[in-house]
Amino acid sequence: MIARDLAEADASTATPRGGTPTFAVAFGGGGARGLAHINVIEALDELGIRPTAISGSSIGAIVGAAMAAGMSGRDIREYAVATLSRRAEIAARLWRLRPASFGEMFGGGIRVGQFNIERILRSFLPDRIPDTFEELHIPLSVTATDFYGQQEVPITEGDLYSAIAASAAIPALFRPVRRDNRILIDGGIYNPVPFDHLKEKAQFVIGIDVVGGPEGHIGKFPSSIEAMFGASQLMMQSIIATRLRTDPPAIFLRPSVAKFGVLDFLRVEQVLQDTVGIKDELKRAVDAAITYTGHSELK
């Protein structure tokens, strides 16, 4: 949908009326549902849109980092399918992450669901993602949550892997990340789709929400895990709704991802197939935004 008064797009950062429009993109969090972002990037590639800035939360920070590093949608798709659709490949990478010794395994006591997300990311992400923000081709803002500081923390410089690890550190699944004298966890807790970080970065801001919501029927009680993740989805949707009422982006879209779970990464091909419709939806929204404000077509 077109979610704001597009006439405001001709702000101080806008190019002259009739010039080539600029776009910035906010990729939201949602675990494996965020694989749908790949379709969004492919659509932007097909439109010839190179964002002036990118923001991301959780899986959105990961995919956003790949795009900011210069990877095309096709590059990201091919890498994701090759890496995530083969159980043997995943098992081999996880095996390489096993503790080197019993001391390392039990040094801090036995912890349930406290995997080291930064080590996992370094094992699974493509080599084209650099070590620092400064090496990216497109400016990137990554959202994390300061656990003890009780606030959102946007990260835009320094070590990239610790930033996206913090943003993706889902509580009860991954160990929090220590960075800059803070204990950081999942960025989606405070800002699931950080489109507000892109204000004045482009004429048009695009927000992509892949949080989804719990699905089922009243005759089935959710398991404790389903209830935990479902409650998190409801909380994040409440936050998104509030932010949309106060200062929505020019374009805000929701791929159809509700039937997929946070950890359904093995279903990468199905996620991509079932959300392919977001490509045409985004193209129509971009065309409507450009037409409404009287800018020339994309070059």
Side-chain angles (χ1 to χ4, degrees):
M1 66 177 180
I2 307 300
R4 70 188 288 187
D5 182 359
L6 294 175
E8 294 180 359
D10 288 306
S12 59
T13 56
T15 57
R17 197 169 186 81
T20 302
T22 57
F23 293 83
V25 188
F27 295 110
R33 304 181 195 101
L35 294 168
H37 290 316
I38 297 172
N39 281 320
V40 171
I41 296 174
E42 287 183 332
L44 293 172
D45 291 342
E46 291 163 13
L47 288 169
I49 293 176
R50 184 179 189 269
T52 57
I54 297 170
S55 66
S57 181
S58 198
I59 184 68
I62 296 171
V63 176
M67 187 183 195
M71 295 182 70
S72 68
R74 176 176 292 184
D75 292 338
I76 301 170
R77 173 188 289 267
E78 290 176 352
Y79 186 87
V81 170
T83 304
L84 299 176
S85 63
R86 296 184 293 175
R87 291 178 182 271
E89 175 68 17
I90 292 176
R93 290 175 185 249
L94 290 175
W95 175 252
R96 291 195 292 270
L97 292 174
R98 71 192 187 281
S101 66
F102 283 104
E104 181 181 347
M105 183 182 300
F106 301 117
I110 299 176
R111 300 181 179 182
V112 177
Q114 290 284 285
F115 297 103
N116 186 321
I117 180 64
E118 187 170 354
R119 289 186 63 195
I120 291 173
L121 290 177
R122 287 190 178 276
S123 176
F124 278 87
L125 294 189
D127 293 337
R128 289 180 62 180
I129 296 181
D131 290 330
T132 67
F133 281 86
E134 289 74 18
E135 297 172 84
L136 295 171
H137 297 219
I138 300 172
L140 174 68
S141 174
V142 169
T143 301
T145 298
D146 184 340
F147 185 74
Y148 292 114
Q150 303 174 33
Q151 62 183 337
E152 177 185 353
V153 178
I155 307 172
T156 60
E157 59 185 14
D159 184 81
L160 179 59
Y161 276 83
S162 67
I164 57 179
S167 187
I170 301 172
L173 283 180
F174 301 116
R175 187 182 307 168
V177 173
R178 187 189 301 275
R179 179 187 168 111
D180 299 330
N181 294 317
R182 291 185 169 117
I183 299 298
L184 302 177
I185 60 173
D186 186 4
I189 291 173
Y190 259 85
N191 198 345
V193 190
F195 49 79
D196 54 309
H197 292 187
L198 300 174
K199 291 179 65 174
E200 309 207 359
K201 300 289 186 181
Q203 295 158 273
F204 302 105
V205 174
I206 301 170
I208 307 297
D209 172 19
V210 293
V211 169
E215 284 196 340
H217 53 84
I218 197 169
K220 176 182 178 295
F221 274 87
S223 67
S224 57
I225 295 296
E226 290 171 337
M228 179 183 71
F229 284 130
S232 177
Q233 287 175 289
L234 295 173
M235 175 195 72
M236 288 190 283
Q237 287 295 0
S238 176
I239 294 170
I240 293 169
T242 299
R243 291 179 180 271
L244 287 174
R245 284 194 296 269
T246 56
D247 190 17
I251 298 170
F252 189 79
L253 302 176
R254 286 186 166 115
S256 180
V257 294
K259 73 178 183 180
F260 298 103
V262 166
L263 301 178
D264 276 343
F265 287 99
L266 284 170
R267 300 173 70 187
V268 53
E269 292 179 284
Q270 188 176 350
V271 174
L272 290 169
Q273 179 180 335
D274 286 8
T275 60
V276 70
I278 197 65
K279 296 176 73 171
D280 286 338
E281 193 176 347
L282 176 59
K283 291 176 182 179
R284 289 193 297 269
V286 167
D287 182 65
I290 293 172
T291 301
Y292 187 92
T293 54
H295 289 282
S296 64
E297 295 181 356
L298 294 166
K299 295 180 180 179

